[in-house]
Amino acid sequence: MRHLMSPLDFTVEELDQLMDLAADIEKHPSKYAHACEGKKLATLFYEPSTRTRLSHEAAMLNLGGQVLGFSSADSSSAAKGESVADTIRMISCYADICAIRHPKEGAPMVAAMHSSIPVINAGDGGHQHPTQTLTDLLTIRSLKGHLDHLTIGICGDLKFGRTVHSLINALVRYPGIRFLLISPEELRLPGYVREDFLEKNRIPYEEVVSLDEAIPKLDLLYMTRVQKERFFNEEDYVRMKDFYILDREKMQAAPKDMLVLHPLPRVNEISVEVDDDPRAVYFRQVQYGVYIRMALILTLLEVQVC
Ligand code: NCD
């Protein structure tokens, strides 16, 4: 039985197969409409979410399966003190696969250790968010045509942003990748991401503060929100929250074919006037998120569709 804890749980070849399957789902959705009939997905969300929970649920419903779950720790037995290990033992009796989001790093791994069904990490604290990364990779591959030889700017909260950590972890396996890491000094990448993912793999990268200086050099700009819920004090958050605002003027300095991605939710970091720019693909990214999660559910449940 397989789980998804980190994007590295799939080899580059397996990721290609997963994205090929997602591309086929995009082209022929009706072929997959009954593939998971009789199967259930449980969503265990101990932290707020809109997209990740609903897109896992939409993915299972699109496959003809059913969904059950909870969307906050308060409404589950976690509020009574139940452990993740006990919860997952029970959920294994109710469902065939589950997606779990938890504020504690490593909680989905604990769930996987005690589970008899496949477990998907839907975000664990400031650590990893592998299904967002699968979404990002499919978006880049579909709209750029390739995942190698790209200069990628990642901008915003690189310290707490789990989508950033997972994306870097996944992209270092493709040749010719370089990163411009754009953040205030206080929100730079954690040391382990720099050392274990970038330096160990000899990936060229630069840490810069100015978005204006970086933008003309980029093939892709991955914007992120300042992660309010992971700050220790409100004052620091208020100081950082509007550090970057991507607006029409900044986009004028960007290459004509530079794509703007964002895992969403957006707060202020992308002005709404950018939404109509054809290079802004963050809402298309959401649709790719459903296709790749459909492909992931089929793969983890070992369902073949001919
Ligand atoms: C991200 C997350 O939860 O880490 N959201 C998402 O799942 N698309 C990004 C964020 O909350 O900023």
Side-chain angles (χ1 to χ4, degrees), residues 152-285:
I152 300 169
I154 307 189
C155 178
D157 187 346
L158 312 191
K159 181 176 180 187
F160 296 117
R162 57 193 171 197
T163 62
V164 171
H165 308 157
S166 281
L167 183 61
I168 292 176
N169 199 5
L171 280 170
V172 298
R173 297 190 291 180
Y174 296 89
I177 292 292
R178 37 188 330 125
F179 291 105
L180 280 174
L181 303 169
I182 309 154
S183 76
E185 304 246 335
E186 289 105 311
L187 297 180
R188 282 187 175 176
L189 273 190
Y192 82 92
V193 176
R194 251 193 346 254
E195 282 146 34
D196 298 349
F197 304 169
L198 294 172
E199 278 156 28
K200 218 179 247 171
N201 293 296
R202 304 215 176 112
I203 304 298
Y205 74 92
E206 238 181 284
E207 294 183 300
V208 300
V209 177
S210 165
L211 176 57
D212 289 312
E213 278 172 33
I215 209 165
K217 305 177 194 160
L218 304 177
D219 297 308
L220 282 180
L221 173 59
Y222 194 89
M223 292 296 294
T224 64
R225 156 184 87 88
V226 176
Q227 305 280 300
K228 181 177 184 195
E229 64 277 34
R230 313 220 188 275
F231 274 71
F232 292 111
N233 70 66
E234 177 83 15
E235 243 169 72
D236 286 347
Y237 170 70
V238 170
R239 204 159 40 79
M240 294 288 131
K241 75 181 173 62
D242 293 328
F243 203 93
Y244 297 107
I245 299 180
L246 181 67
D247 56 16
R248 207 177 272 154
E249 198 191 318
K250 283 197 169 51
M251 286 298 286
Q252 274 170 9
K256 296 262 171 297
D257 59 352
M258 185 197 80
L259 299 181
V260 183
L261 282 78
H262 191 309
L264 303 177
R266 145 182 64 188
V267 186
N268 274 334
E269 60 282 354
I270 303 181
S271 161
V272 290
E273 67 190 24
V274 175
D275 295 357
D276 296 331
D277 188 308
R279 295 169 289 182
V281 297
Y282 29 90
F283 292 117
R284 293 174 74 185
Q285 205 177 336

Side-chain angles (χ1 to χ4, degrees), residues 1-4 8-11 14 117-119 299-300 302:
M1 189 182 50
R2 268 186 109 156
H3 307 288
L4 177 70
L8 298 193
D9 292 350
F10 287 109
T11 63
E14 286 172 329
I117 59 174
V119 176
T299 303
L300 294 181
E302 297 178 15

